[in-house]
Structure formats: C-alpha cells, structure tokens
Amino acid sequence: MVRCWWLAGLLVACAAAEPHCRQQLRHLQDSAGIAARLPPRLEGRWVSTGCEVRPGPEFLTRSYLFYANRLFKAFQFYYWDPSCRDPSYSLVIKGKLRLRQASWITRGATEADYHLHKVGIVFHSPKAMREVASWINQTSGEGCSWFLPPGRTWAPGALYEVLSAKTERDCTAALGFAMHELSLVRVERHYQPLLQPQQSGSQLVEELYLGDIHTDWGERLHYRPTGYQRPMQSALHHVHPCPACGIISRADEHHPPILPARAALPMQLSGSWVSTHCEVRPAVLFLTRYFTFHGGNHTWEGHYYHYSDPLCRQPTFTIYASGHYTQGIPSSKVRGGTELAFKVTQARVTPMDQLTVMMLNSSQAGSCGLAGSWSAGVEQDITPTNGCLALGIKLPHTEYELFKTEQDTQERSLLYIGERPTDGSSPDSPDKRPTSYQAPLVQCAAASEEFSNYISLKYVGRKDANGNQALKPLPVAFLLFIALLFLRWD
C-alpha cells in the first residue's frame, strides 16, 4: 500500500465530509497548539502509554528517568504477548546523555551523544532465562560464551550483568539491544481539554520522541535514526485517562508492569481514518494520512500529504491513490495483527511548491504524467505513465500489509498500519511484510458515513481584500531539496 504525507498548511475542502473528519483535519492544520523547545528539557520520568510493538516482533513497555546531571536510568520491559501481560525479561540501563546541536537532517530534533555505564537483565521465568542464555552463548564473543553456565537454575529477581563499561564486557548484541534511540530527541508540549463535562480549561501534556528502531534486525545495532518511534509521555503531564501510565511509572526490573486486559477487536476497516498528528518518517519525511475503506467491494482510497517541516505547515506535494485489498487473515507472526494484500491501481499527484514543480517538470518524458506541464496546486493523473519515476511510484503495485484495530481510553477506534521499511523499500513480497506498526489513525467516519467524493486541497493563506483565500508563498529550503532526494513511494 502506498504511503505519503500531508501538512498543516493545507485546507481540506470536503463539503460532503462527516463533521468529525473535518474537525480532526482542522485540528492537524492548527498543529494542536504544539510547542517544541530546542534544546528540549528531559528531566523527569517518561513512560509508555501502552504496549509497544517493535520490529521482530518485540512487545515492550518503557520507563526512562533523566536526571539534571545528565545521568539516566531506563527500564525496558519485554513480554511474550502483544497485550504486555506476560513478562519475559526486564532490562535496567544506566548511563549518561549529552544533548548536542539541532539536527540538520531531521528538522525539529536535537542530536545527542550517550554513554552506557551498565545494563542488567532480570528473567521473569525459566523459559525466558533459557532462551536468552541460548542467544548469548551462541552468538556472542568469547567474553560472553558462558554468560550462564549449563545447569544454572532460574532465580526469581536475580540481576545478571550483560554490559559493564568498567569491565568492558558487552553481551547485549544477541538481544538486538542498542540505545541509539537516544541519539535523536524531540519534546512536544500541548494542552488537552479536560474531559469531564463539569470541568473547563485544559491540562499540559508532554511527549518525548526518541529515534526510530530499524526494521531490519541486522541493521539495528549500528543504525542512527532519522525518524521517531512511538512517543513516551511525561509521568506527570500525560494524556488522561492513561491506565498504563501509572502502572509503568511505578514498575522496576523486579516488578514489571502488567497492563490491564483489553478485549480483542475484530478487524473492521470500513469507514474513514485520519492521522492524529504530523507524522515523521526516516529520511526527512513529514506527512499526514487520510484513508477510506469500502468493505462492500474491498476498495480503498488514500490521501497522503507531504510537508517539509515537523508541524506539517509547509506543503510540498500530495498524492491520492486507490485500489483494492484482499480479505484479511490473522497474522501467524505478529499476534493480534491481520495480514492483507493491497493493490494500488490509480494515483494522482499535486505539487504544492515550486521546488517540487521544478523536479517533476525536469523528469524524463513519459515517466511522470505529462512532461513539462506541472504547476503548483494543479493535480495530474499519473496512472497513464504507470506511476511517477521521480517520486519512486510504480503502478500497478502490490504491497503485503499488517493491520490491527484497537480502542483508546476515550473509546475511539484506532487503526494501525504496518511500519514502512527503514531503507525506503516497499513490502512488495510476503517475506517483507511488516512486523511492527506506524502511528495509529483514528476513525473519523463510520462505514455509512464514508466520503463519496474526492477530497480536494488548497493552500491556506491570508484572506485578500475581497475576503477570499489568497495563496500563501512557501519557502524553498535547501533541506526540502535534501528530503526530495530521499523520497520513496512509501
């Protein structure tokens, strides 16, 4: 399935749209009142807001504590199950973090250096101990070949050292463990309206974005992130309600958090789904997404809005794509997920700034729409040219996907779509099917309220003397040029 991006500088004009979708799109345009300080302030505890899925798959929750003297203590709790109720083992990680300069690759992020002092592991069952010991004994170097001697029995609560800077011992590679996520940092602040009808006002929410984890297990140990993983939230200033936040913040390596049981939801794709915030992808891509799924005939439509900034206010181009999808089957690899195949048969592109126009107009004749005819704000059908070579789009195109649906604490339906390969390739074969998820989309219209008309886009600008919307000029930044060099049909 195609992936693209959109920005908060766009107005979605959808007269036939259901009100909740319009409200959510407007919320994204306003960037939800988000503020991001450079450099960020990290002091305090940050926690996962639910069970997280990393490529592999790995199921975990996190609790990171940063001190004013740059030291940190981090807990990572790993589980056998996607509900984070059956703990496998816990890691306790101690080290030091030094914030550096603003990232010149990922706008809005701060680069950082970290140094690990020690990493310890606590096993929560004999099975976990045997499995991890086997990984370490088989794949680690000579210093780790007898991490746990044969016959060593499981000791509840025992802490085993897997990394020590003092003794220069490091047995973490077999776990696929690295803390490179700390090398890219962003903190966002916004205010959440109070939910109780009798209350007015709002409360502060702080989110910590750390670097993404490479989707290829073999690459994750030396990968330096350019995107983010699922954000953690401040233990003090988090979204309410958050049943998991308190449980995780009180946990330690000896007492891993057991999250509340949640009913499994059937996969119900029909309806319309939209991004909850401006999303960031590796290789300097910022976007928002909007999908409509028609369950009756298994067809879909996707709108991808790309931007050049981390608040999605400076649009670069948009893509509309459509096609059909297969009946889903339960995933045998990622429990709780559903496997589908998506075919993209049609696509249209709208360049939204002059740099993108120049790039498309300089593309080879017959490779991306009508050569030399592109202009800002004007859509072109790229189906007759079998896609757009300049943007890496090939038509027709099939992708093998992973989906799941959940409900959040406000009982909104969420849709998780498989994470894109970090290297920018496409999951165009079953063996490349994702094992983790992107940021969730929220359902904004049920099946009976689906959009029947194509959503058009136009610039948001100041009103002219007659009260009409005027085009707002967009900056042509060198960073955007870099971003376009890395673009993939994603």
Side-chain angles (χ1 to χ4, degrees), residues 441-489:
L441 306 172
V442 63
Q443 188 171 41
C444 58
S448 60
E449 302 166 314
E450 291 175 14
F451 296 46
S452 58
N453 299 327
Y454 170 62
I455 293 182
S456 61
L457 300 165
K458 58 185 178 182
Y459 290 100
V460 172
R462 298 180 182 276
K463 292 185 178 181
D464 59 22
N466 297 320
N468 299 316
Q469 290 284 351
L471 288 181
K472 180 169 65 176
L474 299 170
V476 181
F478 176 69
L479 180 63
L480 178 54
F481 173 72
I482 296 174
L484 290 173
L485 291 178
F486 286 97
L487 277 175
R488 295 290 187 274
W489 180 227

Side-chain angles (χ1 to χ4, degrees), residues 80-359:
W80 299 108
D81 67 301
S83 299
C84 290
R85 293 183 51 79
D86 185 9
S88 171
Y89 63 89
S90 297
L91 297 179
V92 54
I93 306 139
K94 296 181 179 180
K96 192 167 189 176
L97 180 72
R98 182 175 69 91
L99 298 177
R100 297 171 57 204
Q101 71 278 354
S103 173
W104 69 274
I105 297 177
T106 307
R107 289 182 62 184
T110 298
E111 295 179 356
D113 292 326
Y114 71 92
H115 178 69
L116 297 182
H117 297 159
K118 58 175 61 178
V119 178
I121 187 170
V122 174
F123 303 106
H124 301 303
S125 68
K127 176 185 175 184
M129 182 177 184
R130 289 193 301 269
E131 188 168 288
V132 173
S134 175
W135 297 342
I136 294 177
N137 290 341
Q138 292 177 17
T139 62
S140 298
E142 183 176 336
C144 303
S145 58
W146 292 104
F147 168 70
L148 286 176
R152 183 77 174 268
T153 59
W154 173 59
L159 179 68
Y160 303 91
E161 192 174 80
V162 290
L163 181 149
S164 170
K166 185 177 293 187
T167 63
E168 298 184 348
R169 185 190 194 208
D170 185 357
C171 304
T172 60
L175 301 174
F177 169 83
M179 288 297 287
H180 299 327
E181 62 191 275
L182 294 177
S183 62
L184 196 69
V185 181
R186 176 178 171 88
V187 173
E188 291 186 354
R189 294 162 55 98
H190 67 273
Y191 286 87
Q192 174 197 22
L194 297 175
L195 299 179
Q196 286 72 17
Q198 68 275 16
Q199 293 180 313
S200 60
S202 58
Q203 58 191 14
L204 176 64
V205 174
E206 293 184 303
E207 294 186 306
L208 171 62
Y209 289 82
L210 297 177
D212 61 306
I213 308 300
H214 203 289
T215 54
D216 184 337
W217 183 279
E219 299 291 332
R220 65 194 296 180
L221 295 183
H222 54 80
Y223 169 66
R224 289 301 184 269
T226 57
Y228 304 119
Q229 58 185 303
R230 176 173 172 172
M232 305 169 77
Q233 292 189 6
S234 165
L236 293 177
H237 305 296
H238 57 263
V239 169
H240 290 275
C242 179
C245 293
I247 297 172
I248 296 172
S249 65
R250 292 188 295 269
D252 59 35
E253 68 270 32
H254 303 294
H255 307 91
I258 309 297
L259 299 192
R262 302 181 66 176
L265 295 180
M267 176 57 64
Q268 296 287 350
L269 274 184
S270 295
S272 297
W273 309 80
V274 66
S275 294
T276 60
H277 62 274
C278 182
E279 301 173 15
V280 183
R281 299 287 187 276
V284 207
L285 295 176
F286 306 99
L287 76 153
T288 54
R289 298 171 291 153
Y290 171 77
F291 290 96
T292 298
F293 298 95
H294 308 280
N297 57 8
H298 278 210
T299 60
W300 66 276
E301 302 169 76
H303 306 262
Y304 308 88
Y305 307 84
H306 290 250
Y307 304 79
S308 64
D309 70 297
L311 291 179
C312 289
R313 289 175 174 168
Q314 299 169 12
T316 55
F317 66 93
T318 74
I319 298 176
Y320 166 80
S322 62
H324 57 268
Y325 60 96
T326 63
Q327 182 74 35
I329 60 171
S331 172
S332 59
K333 196 167 186 179
V334 185
R335 278 192 291 163
T338 299
E339 296 180 352
L340 305 97
F342 278 76
K343 188 159 188 178
V344 189
T345 55
Q346 299 180 51
R348 303 196 286 266
V349 172
T350 307
M352 301 302 288
D353 72 340
Q354 288 304 317
L355 186 58
T356 307
V357 170
M358 290 166 52
M359 181 190 72

Side-chain angles (χ1 to χ4, degrees), residues 26-35 189-191 276-277 313:
R26 190 177 303 113
H27 177 74
L28 289 172
Q29 291 169 359
D30 296 337
S31 300
I34 291 172
R189 294 162 55 98
H190 67 273
Y191 286 87
T276 60
H277 62 274
R313 289 175 174 168

Side-chain angles (χ1 to χ4, degrees), residues 47-55 57-64 76-79 81-84 181 208 213 229-233 248 259 404 406 416 436-437:
V47 296
S48 302
T49 57
C51 194
E52 301 177 355
V53 184
R54 283 185 174 179
E58 291 179 330
F59 309 112
L60 77 157
T61 58
R62 297 176 290 158
S63 176
Y64 293 1
Q76 293 183 353
F77 308 102
Y78 291 83
Y79 303 81
D81 67 301
S83 299
C84 290
E181 62 191 275
L208 171 62
I213 308 300
Q229 58 185 303
R230 176 173 172 172
M232 305 169 77
Q233 292 189 6
I248 296 172
L259 299 192
K404 75 169 179 177
E406 287 184 355
Y416 291 82
S436 56
Y437 301 99

